[in-house]
Amino acid sequence: KIIYGDSSGDPAALTVGSANQALVSDGTDIAWGSAGAQLGTANEWTAQQNFNNTALTFDATQDWALTANQVATLTLTGNTTFDAPTQMVDGAFYSLIIIQDGTGGWTTSWNGVFKWAAATAPTLTTTASAKDIFVFRSDGTNMYEVGRQLNVS
């Protein structure tokens, strides 16, 4: 048993919720209630689900920590070489938009964990402010190109 104080300060026993319940709050009280969607169970979502876009900090040897940056944008301010991303998960999809700064003309090189269609890394659009979009699927070790859109405007 877990002992807690009730609203009068008297100790009371906390009962444990049943299966598919979680502690929920109405803003005032906390009680056991419906846990909503369950992992391992088919769910129908009634609201949009997404990963927030994050901006990667430019680096000449570009890091990409995937746990916090599954959907990311990088603005090039110089040439860069992508390191192997960290925190790859088998079966996960990752998206990256690369934007040329106002100068443009920047290029990228890619670590060997990036696997490209026809085994050929893309040539970025180098026009000032140009955007190129890449989507990858990971096997936990490599990043396989699923799609690319160059010079999106």
Side-chain angles (χ1 to χ4, degrees):
K1 277 188 182 178
I2 299 172
I3 305 298
Y4 72 101
D6 64 14
S7 59
S8 69
D10 293 331
L14 175 65
T15 58
V16 178
S18 62
N20 297 325
Q21 286 194 322
L23 288 173
V24 294
S25 174
D26 63 5
T28 304
D29 296 315
I30 298 174
W32 289 104
S34 172
Q38 300 294 306
L39 295 177
T41 303
N43 295 290
E44 183 173 325
W45 303 100
T46 58
Q48 179 173 308
Q49 307 299 309
N50 66 288
F51 294 97
N52 289 332
N53 182 69
T54 58
L56 299 178
T57 301
F58 176 81
D59 186 1
T61 54
Q62 189 62 51
D63 300 315
W64 187 7
L66 298 171
T67 298
N69 304 289
Q70 191 162 351
V71 175
T73 300
L74 173 66
T75 299
L76 297 179
T77 58
N79 296 330
T80 189
T81 299
F82 272 84
D83 293 332
T86 58
Q87 306 154 340
M88 283 185 260
V89 173
D90 185 10
F93 286 83
Y94 303 98
S95 174
L96 177 65
I97 296 176
I98 297 179
I99 303 171
Q100 297 281 339
D101 68 4
T103 303
W106 308 119
T107 63
T108 59
S109 299
W110 304 87
N111 184 283
V113 303
F114 289 93
K115 307 299 182 187
W116 302 99
T120 304
T123 300
L124 295 183
T125 307
T126 56
T127 309
S129 304
K131 293 180 181 178
D132 297 324
I133 302 173
F134 302 96
V135 177
F136 302 94
R137 183 188 187 280
S138 178
D139 65 1
T141 302
N142 294 298
M143 298 280 281
Y144 296 93
E145 179 187 23
V146 173
R148 71 175 85 163
Q149 297 296 316
L150 302 177
N151 198 23
V152 176
S153 57

